[in-house]
C-alpha cells in the first residue's frame, strides 16, 4: 500500500518527465547561429552556462570569450560576483587546510599558481575587454614587467593561513624564468612572502603545455619528498595531470584559458 | 614613451586596484551567520556562487543543499538553466568525441555514469526538496525499484553519437549489483542500448568511496586493454582518481554530493 501511495505521489512528475522532460522548453540549439534571436535574458543564461562550463572544465581549448558574452563577463568581473567567488574558494581552502594533520617535517606542501591566483591582472584585462581580445603576449609582458599586479586579497588571506599552519608554500607559475626578478618584486609588493620555492618556466619547459610542465614540476617535488596536500590555481592545467594534490581549489577565471 | 603612455592608461585601474581592489564592496563574510541581513539578490548571488563551487569541485563533502538556497536550486532545476547546462555538456562532449582518432580495435571506450548522467531522478528529487532533505537510501531505493527514471535527453543524444562513432560504451554506476535487473529495464525503457559492460557495485565494493570504487574499475578496464577516451558523470567522484579518462565531462548536479 505504501508503495502504491508513493507511486501515486510521483506519478504526475513521471508523466511530466517521460513525455516532456526535455521538450518542455524548445531552446535554440547552442553553437548554432540563432543568437540574434535570443532575448537579453537568454543571452545572459547562455553566458552564465558558458562560465560554469569553464569552471567545470567542460570546454575545449578556447582563445577568447564568446563575443556575445563580453558584457556579461565584464559585469561579472567588475561586479561583486567575482569577489564573492574568490572569497568562497579561499574560505573553503582554509577550512580544508585547518583539517589536515601535518607531519611537521618541512615536507607538507601547498602549491599556489601566481597569475589570477595570488596576483591579479585585472588592470590589464580591464584594458583588453576582459578576455574578449585575443591574448597578445608582447602587451601582456609589458604589463608583467611593471610589477604592479595587485594581490587577490582572499588568496593573501589563505596564503598567510597556510603558512601559519605550518605548510611549506611552493609557487608554481607559467611565467618565464626571465621574469623571476620582477615577479619576486611584485609578489613582495603585494604582500606575499616566505615561500619555499618559486618555480618558473625555464627554457626547456617552453614547448610544454601548462598541464605537462606543472605535472613534471609536481613530480619533481614529490621525488624530493614533498607531500602536495593543497593546490590553488585559476586554470585546470594548474591542478590536473600527474602527482596531483590531495585537494585542489579552482579559482574563478572566465577571461582566458591555458591548456 | 610608449611605455609611459601605457602606464598612464592603466594608472586609474592600478590605483583602484591597489587600494580598494577587494575592499570596494564589504560583503558579509560567507559561512558566518549574517544571512538574515542579506537581500534577496545577495542570497541569489551566494547560492549561484555555491552552485559554481559545486561544479568546480571546490566544496568539502556536503550532505544537503544550504537551506537558504532551497528556492534558488528549485528554480534552477525546474527552469531552463539546468537543461541549458545539460545541452551544453552534451554538445561539448560530442565535439570532442568526433575529434578523436579511434583505433577501431574495440578498445576505444567512453564511460557513462548512470544516475543524473543517463537517467534522471528528477521526479524523486522534486518530491524531496531538490537536495534539501538529507538523503534517505530506503526511499531512494524504492524509487530506483520502480525503474521509471526518464532519460536525460541530451545524454541520450551523446550516447547515440559516441556509439555511432565506434566507441565502446561502458556504464559504471554506484548502484548496487542487486539492482542490475531493474537498472537494465530502466535503461532500455529510457532508450539506452548496446553497452559493452554495465558495472555495478558488488559486495566487495560497498565499503569504498565512489572515487576509489570507480578508479579501481577504470584500472581494471585499462588492464583489459581499454583506452578510456571519454568519461561523463555528474559527480567529480565519477571523473577523478586513477586511470582517468583523456577528457572528462561534468554534468551539472547541485542536488547531492557523492564522495
Amino acid at each position: 500500500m505504501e508503495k502504491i501511495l508513493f507511486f501515486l505521489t510521483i506519478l504526475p512528475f513521471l508523466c511530466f518527465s517521460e513525455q516532456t522532460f526535455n521538450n518542455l522548453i524548445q531552446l535554440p540549439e547552442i553553437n548554432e547561429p540563432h543568437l540574434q534571436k535570443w532575448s537579453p535574458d537568454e543571452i545572459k543564461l547562455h553566458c552564465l552556462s558558458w562560465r560554469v562550463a569553464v569552471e567545470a572544465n567542460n570546454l575545449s581549448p578556447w582563445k577568447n570569450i564568446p563575443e556575445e558574452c563580453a558584457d556579461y563577463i565584464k559585469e561579472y568581473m567588475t561586479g561583486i560576483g567575482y569577489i564573492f567567488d574568490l572569497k568562497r574558494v579561499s574560505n573553503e581552502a582554509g577550512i580544508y587546510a585547518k583539517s589536515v594533520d601535518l607531519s611537521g617535517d618541512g615536507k607538507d606542501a601547498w602549491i599556489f599558481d601566481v597569475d589570477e591566483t595570488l596576483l591579479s591582472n585585472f588592470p590589464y584585462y580591464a584594458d583588453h575587454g576582459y578576455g574578449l581580445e585575443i591574448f597578445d603576449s608582447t602587451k601582456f609582458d609589458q604589463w608583467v614587467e611593471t610589477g604592479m599586479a595587485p594581490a587577490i586579497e582572499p588568496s593573501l588571506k589563505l596564503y598567510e593561513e597556510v603558512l601559519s599552519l605550518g605548510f611549506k608554500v611552493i609557487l608554481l607559475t607559467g611565467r618565464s624564468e626571465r621574469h623571476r626578478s620582477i615577479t619576486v618584486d611584485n609578489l613582495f609588493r603585494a604582500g606575499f612572502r616566505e615561500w619555499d620555492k618559486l618555480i618558473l618556466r625555464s627554457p626547456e619547459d617552453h614547448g610544454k603545455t601548462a598541464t605537462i610542465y606543472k605535472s613534471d614540476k609536481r613530480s619533481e617535488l614529490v621525488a624530493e619528498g614533498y607531500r602536495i596536500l593543497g593546490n590553488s590555481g585559476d586554470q585546470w592545467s594548474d591542478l590536473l595531470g600527474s602527482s596531483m594534490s590531495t585537494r585542489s581549489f579552482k579559482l574563478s577565471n572566465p577571461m582566458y584559458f591555458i591548456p
Side-chain angles (χ1 to χ4, degrees), chain A:
Chain A
M1 182 60 192
E2 197 181 286
K3 269 200 179 172
I4 295 167
L5 271 177
F6 173 75
F7 196 78
L8 285 175
T9 315
I10 60 172
L11 197 60
F13 296 106
L14 288 177
C15 295
F16 155 73
S17 302
E18 282 211 295
Q19 291 162 21
T20 58
F21 180 63
N22 285 286
N23 297 321
L24 195 64
I25 304 134
Q26 281 299 342
L27 286 176
E29 282 297 311
I30 300 163
N31 296 329
E32 289 194 13
H34 292 288
L35 287 171
Q36 62 276 20
K37 295 184 197 162
W38 285 11
S39 71
D41 275 358
E42 281 169 337
I43 293 274
K44 203 169 167 180
L45 188 69
H46 155 67
C47 296
L48 166 59
S49 170
W50 182 84
R51 182 168 74 78
V52 174
V54 169
E55 295 308 318
N57 198 28
N58 281 335
L59 298 189
S60 301
W62 49 278
K63 285 200 190 307
N64 52 332
I65 63 173
E67 206 177 311
E68 68 277 10
C69 297
D71 289 345
Y72 171 83
I73 299 296
K74 181 180 177 181
E75 195 181 313
Y76 170 72
M77 291 299 300
T78 56
I80 55 176
Y82 181 50
I83 294 175
F84 222 115
D85 286 340
L86 293 177
K87 283 194 173 186
R88 182 180 300 274
V89 71
S90 167
N91 281 349
E92 291 291 335
I95 291 165
Y96 164 71
K98 283 195 270 293
S99 78
V100 177
D101 278 329
L102 298 189
S103 73
D105 63 355
K107 295 294 184 185
D108 304 303
W110 194 292
I111 297 178
F112 287 95
D113 167 56
V114 173
D115 291 293
E116 266 56 67
T117 299
L118 298 185
L119 297 179
S120 173
N121 298 303
F122 184 94
Y124 175 83
Y125 284 98
D127 212 30
H128 292 87
Y130 301 97
L132 186 61
E133 296 177 18
I134 298 274
F135 183 72
D136 180 327
S137 61
T138 310
K139 283 187 189 162
F140 185 73
D141 280 0
Q142 285 175 338
W143 156 250
V144 164
E145 287 156 16
T146 67
M148 295 297 283
I152 291 182
E153 290 290 336
S155 295
L156 182 54
K157 181 170 165 274
L158 173 67
Y159 188 96
E160 286 168 351
E161 265 174 22
V162 302
L163 274 178
S164 72
L165 287 165
F167 285 90
K168 294 293 174 187
V169 163
I170 292 166
L171 309 185
L172 177 50
T173 171
R175 288 187 177 199
S176 167
E177 189 64 55
R178 73 189 169 87
H179 285 140
R180 177 177 289 276
S181 165
I182 191 71
T183 300
V184 169
D185 288 355
N186 198 152
L187 286 164
F188 267 70
R189 186 174 299 126
F192 297 98
R193 283 152 210 274
E194 291 183 55
W195 54 79
D196 221 47
K197 290 175 190 283
L198 166 60
I199 305 171
L200 302 100
R201 268 186 200 257
S202 57
E204 67 265 27
D205 299 318
H206 278 288
K208 298 176 183 173
T209 63
T211 306
I212 301 289
Y213 155 63
K214 296 202 168 186
S215 291
D216 287 352
K217 294 298 161 187
R218 284 195 303 270
S219 296
E220 290 173 20
L221 292 168
V222 169
E224 288 173 39
Y226 285 100
R227 288 173 299 282
I228 305 172
L229 301 166
N231 188 2
S232 298
D234 66 293
Q235 299 288 322
W236 280 100
S237 53
D238 296 329
L239 310 174
L240 296 179
S242 54
S243 300
M244 280 166 61
S245 173
T246 308
R247 260 194 81 184
S248 293
F249 296 91
K250 168 71 178 71
L251 282 78
S252 172
N253 184 359
M255 300 188 296
Y256 59 85
F257 173 87
I258 299 173

